[in-house]
Amino acid sequence: RRNRRPRSAMIIPIRAQEKIVGVLNIGKLSGAEDFTPDDLQVISVVATQLAWILSNFELMSKMWTLAITDELTGLYNRRYFFLRVREEIQRAERYDKPMCVVMLDLDGFKELNRSHGHLIGDEILQQVCAVVRRNLRAVDMAARYGGDEIVVILPETSVAAGFAVITRLQAAVGEEVYVGHNGVPVKLSLCAGIAQFPGDAGNPDDLIRKADVALLEAKAAGSGQVLLAD
């Protein structure tokens, strides 16, 4: 150890509901008086207060996670997406960097639900969303926009770079093995619409609308299409 060893030390476990959530270490260097039983009593009270703070922080963290997460897919929810897209646009303006919003939709998902049932559909949607999470960059954010629609924020990303990210994502989704009713294999593909800030729109609402229109045109053009906003 580079630091001098303490002359006197107290090591107090921080317990919350009989679970140790931390440790409070306090030491006195040489030349100071040793800790007394009264000191231990005072610090034990402090440790109790810390345990209350930490347990409440953990509870609030769990509540926040539930508030921003889609229960079925594990992606962020639509409400949190709208918060983040505004933040990312502000960041893009501040640092003069482009960013993209991408709307994704599973080809033939309604038919899949009709043929295999909604429970199977939910399981496959969960699987697809797990593939999406694994294949995006750490800085990207994916959210469930509604039904089988997924929206992705690509910070500091040009249209060309965004197109490359989504192409890799499409390949990953297409290579995944999906199993339908009675073990029937299911093949899936993604359509996508990409809109860039500031090139295609100057505010969040217009950017999302442009990406959504591009997605609708991509779906009309056929399975697995990726179109850029006009």
Side-chain angles (χ1 to χ4, degrees):
R1 292 175 49 152
R2 294 183 179 180
N3 297 330
R4 290 180 292 169
R5 296 181 65 85
R7 168 187 172 87
S8 180
M10 290 189 295
I11 302 173
I12 313 294
I14 302 174
R15 289 189 174 91
Q17 298 179 349
E18 302 304 319
K19 177 184 176 183
I20 295 179
V21 296
V23 177
L24 181 60
N25 296 307
I26 301 176
K28 287 186 176 182
L29 299 177
S30 59
E33 296 182 356
D34 292 347
F35 285 115
T36 66
D38 289 341
D39 293 330
L40 178 60
Q41 185 175 6
V42 170
I43 298 303
S44 295
V45 172
V46 173
T48 301
Q49 295 299 315
L50 286 173
W52 182 83
I53 292 171
L54 289 174
S55 61
N56 276 276
F57 177 80
E58 183 179 5
L59 178 60
M60 290 178 64
S61 178
K62 290 180 179 178
M63 291 177 63
W64 172 246
T65 300
L66 289 172
I68 64 175
T69 303
D70 178 68
E71 184 178 5
L72 175 64
T73 64
L75 299 180
Y76 290 110
N77 59 27
R78 181 170 174 152
R79 183 187 308 110
Y80 186 62
F81 159 71
F82 281 110
L83 174 66
R84 281 294 304 275
V85 73
R86 283 166 172 77
E87 291 176 349
E88 290 300 335
I89 284 178
Q90 291 173 357
R91 187 174 290 111
E93 285 180 317
R94 187 181 308 121
Y95 297 107
D96 194 25
K97 299 285 187 179
M99 57 87 66
C100 288
V101 166
V102 184
M103 299 290 291
L104 303 170
D105 188 86
L106 279 171
D107 295 317
F109 191 71
K110 291 181 179 178
E111 290 75 13
L112 185 150
N113 276 326
R114 283 197 293 266
S115 301
H116 299 270
H118 287 278
L119 290 179
I120 295 292
D122 285 350
E123 291 174 2
I124 290 178
L125 181 59
Q126 289 172 333
Q127 191 176 351
V128 170
C129 290
V131 174
V132 170
R133 286 197 302 270
R134 290 197 303 267
N135 287 276
L136 290 177
R137 304 167 302 179
V139 296
D140 302 331
M141 193 213 86
R144 186 185 185 191
Y145 195 73
D148 60 317
E149 284 190 345
I150 299 168
V151 63
V152 178
I153 299 174
L154 304 176
E156 297 188 19
T157 304
S158 65
V159 168
F163 191 90
V165 170
I166 298 308
T167 300
R168 291 196 301 270
L169 180 58
Q170 284 182 307
V173 169
E175 292 168 2
E176 186 79 1
V177 177
Y178 309 98
V179 179
H181 185 63
N182 292 330
V184 175
V186 175
K187 294 297 292 181
L188 290 175
S189 61
L190 283 175
C191 275
I194 303 176
Q196 184 199 60
F197 174 88
D200 296 317
N203 61 72
D205 292 338
D206 287 344
L207 188 66
I208 295 165
R209 183 179 57 80
K210 286 288 188 72
D212 194 35
V213 170
L215 173 62
L216 291 173
E217 293 175 350
K219 290 170 65 177
S223 298
Q225 297 296 310
V226 181
L227 291 183
L228 308 178
D230 293 332

